[in-house]
Amino acid sequence: MIVLTNSKGSTMNLPITMGWPKVDIQKRAEVNELALGGGVIAGRLTYTPRSFTLSGSLYIGDKVANNDFYDDLKKFLEFQPIEADRGYNRHILGYVTSLSCNGMDDDAELELSIGMIAPNPFFYGAEVIHEIIGATGTATDTIIAEGSVPADLKIHVEITSLTASGLSISIGEYDLAITGDYVQGDVLEIDTKHFTVELNGTSIINSVGDDFLVYGMKLLPDENSVTITLTGTADVSFLYRPQWS
């Protein structure tokens, strides 16, 4: 069953006779034609927005009930973006690009089609929090993430010792180093999607090492080795949503 959630937080269950039969993903290769000699220079592949269609038949019971449902659906879809859950606890956020209704047998059955586009083409799972309590010196751990594509992270660091300094976090080949001194109760918030690093609500991006600014930080599908280095003690939590293509 397809479950929709609009921007107001309201939900609507589509009837089981409607589905999402075709699920595909598209990539675009950046290429430049060579002026001499023919051929092209190819760049990296990038995912393109995902277009999809929710379609099927609606026969709740009679003409009035069918059209009442269709009217309610049109009102519901006015509040965008729309989150669509295809099942398996995987969600995608999209916008309605078309809506069509074909009445049959004097509207005893309605054929419905909802065209949508998702600028971010990935499916998301539920939020996951992985905690490392009392990290001090060099602390290591492993995060095993679901999904099929790398996921962004929000990292929350709360200093629990009287003083601390020299914080660095490594996840696989990604490194984040922050210079500076901290006191008990200080909170650092790191958002790897938006490249923000804040200390007690104030940006300290100028204190961040070049590796993070150039390469960012992602959580890869499957197993990720995590290393936290700190002179002092802190509680660290990693919040992410698994992603599927």
Side-chain angles (χ1 to χ4, degrees), residues 66-80:
N66 287 347
N67 282 283
D68 284 347
F69 180 91
Y70 184 49
D71 286 340
D72 289 341
L73 176 64
K74 287 184 287 186
K75 294 176 185 177
F76 177 88
L77 295 177
E78 283 295 316
F79 301 97
Q80 302 192 52

Side-chain angles (χ1 to χ4, degrees), residues 37 54 69 87 90 118 135 141 149 164 167 172 185 194 199 216 218 228 243 245:
L54 311 178
F69 180 91
R90 300 183 187 183
D141 203 349
V149 294
L167 175 64
H194 299 103
L199 173 62
K218 296 280 189 179
I228 301 170
Q243 295 185 155
S245 59

Side-chain angles (χ1 to χ4, degrees), residues 126-197:
E127 286 185 343
V128 178
I129 298 178
H130 184 95
E131 296 182 316
I132 302 176
I133 304 300
T136 185
T138 300
T140 59
D141 203 349
T142 300
I143 299 177
I144 299 177
E146 295 184 316
S148 62
V149 294
D152 295 303
L153 290 155
K154 290 184 179 178
I155 306 173
H156 177 93
V157 181
E158 183 171 349
I159 304 300
T160 56
S161 56
L162 291 177
T163 61
S165 62
L167 175 64
S168 67
I169 300 173
S170 297
I171 300 179
E173 299 298 320
Y174 296 105
D175 292 300
L176 168 62
I178 307 173
T179 59
D181 299 319
Y182 317 103
V183 297
Q184 190 175 40
D186 279 348
V187 173
L188 294 100
E189 300 283 359
I190 301 148
D191 187 329
T192 68
K193 180 178 181 179
H194 299 103
F195 283 83
T196 59
V197 180

Side-chain angles (χ1 to χ4, degrees), residues 4-10 52 76-84 92-97 116-120:
L4 305 179
T5 304
N6 66 18
S7 62
K8 296 185 69 175
S10 300
F52 58 97
F76 177 88
L77 295 177
E78 283 295 316
F79 301 97
Q80 302 192 52
I82 306 295
E83 182 180 84
I92 195 167
L93 199 64
Y95 296 84
V96 177
T97 57
M116 300 188 69
I117 187 168
N120 183 334

Side-chain angles (χ1 to χ4, degrees), residues 176-235:
L176 168 62
I178 307 173
T179 59
D181 299 319
Y182 317 103
V183 297
Q184 190 175 40
D186 279 348
V187 173
L188 294 100
E189 300 283 359
I190 301 148
D191 187 329
T192 68
K193 180 178 181 179
H194 299 103
F195 283 83
T196 59
V197 180
E198 296 181 346
L199 173 62
N200 300 328
T202 301
S203 176
I204 56 169
I205 197 68
N206 291 334
S207 300
V208 176
D210 289 342
D211 280 353
F212 175 72
L213 300 177
V214 174
Y215 302 108
M217 178 172 281
K218 296 280 189 179
L219 195 64
L220 302 182
D222 205 5
E223 189 171 298
N224 297 263
S225 60
V226 178
T227 301
I228 301 170
T229 304
L230 178 69
T231 301
T233 307
D235 295 338

